[in-house]
Amino acid sequence: MIRDAIRKPILLLLIMLLFSLDHRLLFAAEAILAWDPSPDTTVAGYKVYVGAASQNYGAPIDVGNVTTWTMSGLTTGSSYSFAVTAYDASGNESLFSNEVSKTIRTTPDTTAPLISNLTVSGIGSNGASITWGTNEPADTQVQFGTTAAYGASTPLNTAMVTTHAQSLTGLQAGTAYHYRVLSRDAAGNLAVSADNAFTTSSEAVSPSVPASLTATAVSPSQINLSWNAPADAGGIQSYSIYRGGSLIGTSSVPRYADTGLSANTTYSYTVAAIDGAGNLSAQSAPSSATTPLPPPTISGVAANNITKDSATIVWNTDVPATSQVEYGSTTAYDKSTPVDATMRTAHTQTLKGLKHKTLYHYRVKSKDAAGNLSVSADGVFQIN
C-alpha cells in the first residue's frame, strides 16, 4: 500500500536540452530534470518516469536521493513527458509530481558517411570484388578504370546499407586498375574514398565450386547460409556470397549470416570460391529460404477511464491477435485478465477491483494466428 504521508515532489517547469551529434543522421539529446525535494523527512530517494505520451510512462528509473537527473538517449523530433515520485526506505512510493513535456527539435544532417574497411578481394584474370563499410546507411557504387580518371562504374545500388559490396567484371588479364567507392546517405551527403589500385592475374585457373549450399531462415530478418568447402579447400582464401545474382559479401569460412532482410520474403543464394591467386570459381547451385512473419507489433498502449477502483487498458496490433493484460503494484505483475481469444487489431481490457491511492504497473500481451507472441514494455497508471 502506498503511504499517503509521502508527499510528492514538484518537478520544475524548465528542462535544459543538450544535443550530441553522432556522425550524421543519429542525433541524441539529453534532458536535465530538476525538482523541489519532497518535504517528507522519510524520503530515501526519487524515481523518474518518462513516456512518449502524457501520463503514459514506461518503467521508472531509480535515481537515488538527488533532485536533478540527466535523461540521455532521447531522439530528436520526438516528444516526451516526464514525472517524478518519491519513495521511503520501505519502498513506499508517492503520487506523481506535476508533469513536464517537451518536443525535441531536429538538427539537419549535413555530414557525409564515413567509409571504412575498404578491401579488394577475389582478384582474378577478369574480375574482382570490392567491399567496404559506412557508419550509417548509404547507397553503393564503384568507379574503376586503367587510370585515375576511371571511365567506368558499377550500377548504382540504391539500397541503404552499412555493409557494401560490388563486383567488377569484364576486366583485362594482367592489367593494373584504379578504383574508388562512393556512398551517399539518405540526406544526400556523398562520401568518396581515396584512389586505390590492384592488378588482375595473368591467367585464369578456377578453383572448385562449393557444394551443398543450405539457406535457413532463423528470424524475420536473417537467413543463415552454410556449404561444404570444395576438394581443393587448402588453396581457398575466401568465398563470395550472392543474393539474387548480386554480390552481397564475402566470408573466410563456409558460412554466412545475411541480415536486414524483409519478413515473409523468399531469397535465393549462390556462393563461389576464391583461391590464393584471386581466381573465382563458378557459382554454386542455388539455395532458397523464406523469412517468417514477425510477431504482432504493439502500439498505442494507454491506460484510460481511470476511476477509484478500475482502469481501461487499450492498444493496437498491426495484425489480428489475442488480448491480455498483466498488472500489479510491482513489475512482478501478480494479476492478469483472462485471455480474449478473439482475433482483433484494436484491443480493450478493463481492470477492476483496484486499490485507492496505488501506483499500478501493467503490460499487454497479444498472440497472432501463427502463435507469435508480443509483450509490451512496462507501463504505469495511478489510482487517486
Side-chain angles (χ1 to χ4, degrees):
M1 177 68 69
I2 303 300
R3 287 179 52 197
D4 295 341
I6 303 179
R7 285 171 282 179
K8 63 185 181 181
I10 304 295
L11 183 62
L12 301 184
L13 294 179
L14 176 63
I15 294 182
M16 298 177 60
L17 294 177
L18 303 178
F19 294 87
S20 60
L21 174 61
D22 181 6
H23 300 308
R24 54 212 52 78
L25 281 182
L26 299 178
F27 290 87
E30 296 180 338
I32 300 179
L33 307 176
W35 55 92
D36 291 337
S38 170
D40 196 315
T41 58
T42 66
V43 167
Y46 297 90
K47 293 182 180 181
V48 172
Y49 288 82
V50 59
S54 177
Q55 297 184 4
N56 187 18
Y57 310 120
I61 302 170
D62 189 338
V63 300
N65 197 4
V66 297
T67 56
T68 63
W69 181 255
T70 300
M71 180 71 67
S72 60
L74 304 180
T75 303
T76 56
S78 298
S79 296
Y80 295 92
S81 295
F82 304 91
V84 176
T85 62
Y87 63 87
D88 64 16
S90 298
N92 300 303
E93 193 170 354
S94 75
L95 301 181
F96 289 127
S97 70
N98 61 301
E99 183 179 79
V100 173
S101 298
K102 187 71 177 179
T103 298
I104 301 174
R105 63 180 175 84
T106 302
T107 306
D109 174 14
T110 59
T111 307
L114 178 64
I115 294 172
S116 61
N117 300 322
L118 178 57
T119 303
V120 58
S121 62
I123 302 172
S125 60
N126 61 2
S129 298
I130 311 295
T131 59
W132 70 98
T134 53
N135 62 332
E136 65 169 325
D139 60 22
T140 304
Q141 191 172 37
V142 177
Q143 294 177 334
F144 63 99
T146 54
T147 70
Y150 308 110
S153 63
T154 61
L156 175 64
N157 184 344
T158 58
M160 292 289 164
V161 296
T162 57
T163 301
H164 307 262
Q166 291 276 274
S167 292
L168 310 185
T169 58
L171 306 182
Q172 298 178 6
T175 302
Y177 280 88
H178 293 258
Y179 73 95
R180 66 181 182 183
V181 302
L182 300 87
S183 285
R184 189 186 304 270
D185 66 20
N189 302 306
L190 177 65
V192 181
S193 75
D195 178 70
N196 292 269
F198 66 90
T199 301
T200 56
S201 60
S202 58
E203 62 178 70
V205 179
S206 297
S208 300
V209 179
S212 302
L213 173 63
T214 301
T216 304
V218 296
S219 78
S221 62
Q222 180 173 331
I223 292 176
N224 289 345
L225 305 176
S226 63
W227 57 92
N228 292 338
D232 48 357
I236 301 301
Q237 296 298 305
S238 62
Y239 300 90
S240 293
I241 295 90
Y242 302 84
R243 184 205 307 139
S246 297
L247 178 70
I248 60 169
T250 60
S251 175
S252 60
V253 294
R255 58 184 178 273
Y256 184 82
D258 190 18
T259 59
L261 304 177
S262 299
N264 196 32
T265 304
T266 300
Y267 295 91
S268 180
Y269 300 88
T270 56
V271 297
I274 303 170
D275 65 17
N279 300 305
L280 186 68
S281 77
Q283 295 182 29
S284 69
S287 181
S288 299
T290 301
T291 52
L293 286 167
T297 298
I298 294 174
S299 62
V301 182
N304 298 329
N305 302 324
I306 300 173
T307 70
K308 64 180 181 180
D309 62 358
S310 67
T312 300
I313 310 300
V314 298
W315 71 98
N316 298 311
T317 52
D318 61 335
V319 295
T322 62
S323 309
Q324 188 178 32
V325 177
E326 294 180 334
Y327 63 101
S329 58
T330 72
T331 53
Y333 311 110
D334 58 345
K335 297 179 179 63
S336 65
T337 62
V339 176
D340 182 351
T342 303
M343 295 289 170
R344 52 170 58 92
T345 56
H347 307 262
T348 301
Q349 292 275 278
T350 299
L351 313 184
K352 298 180 180 180
L354 304 180
K355 296 180 180 180
H356 186 49
K357 290 190 178 297
T358 300
L359 186 72
Y360 280 92
H361 294 260
Y362 72 97
R363 65 182 181 183
V364 304
K365 303 171 72 173
S366 286
K367 183 180 294 186
D368 65 19
N372 299 309
L373 175 65
S374 288
V375 181
S376 75
D378 177 69
V380 295
F381 63 88
Q382 188 169 271
I383 299 294
N384 294 320

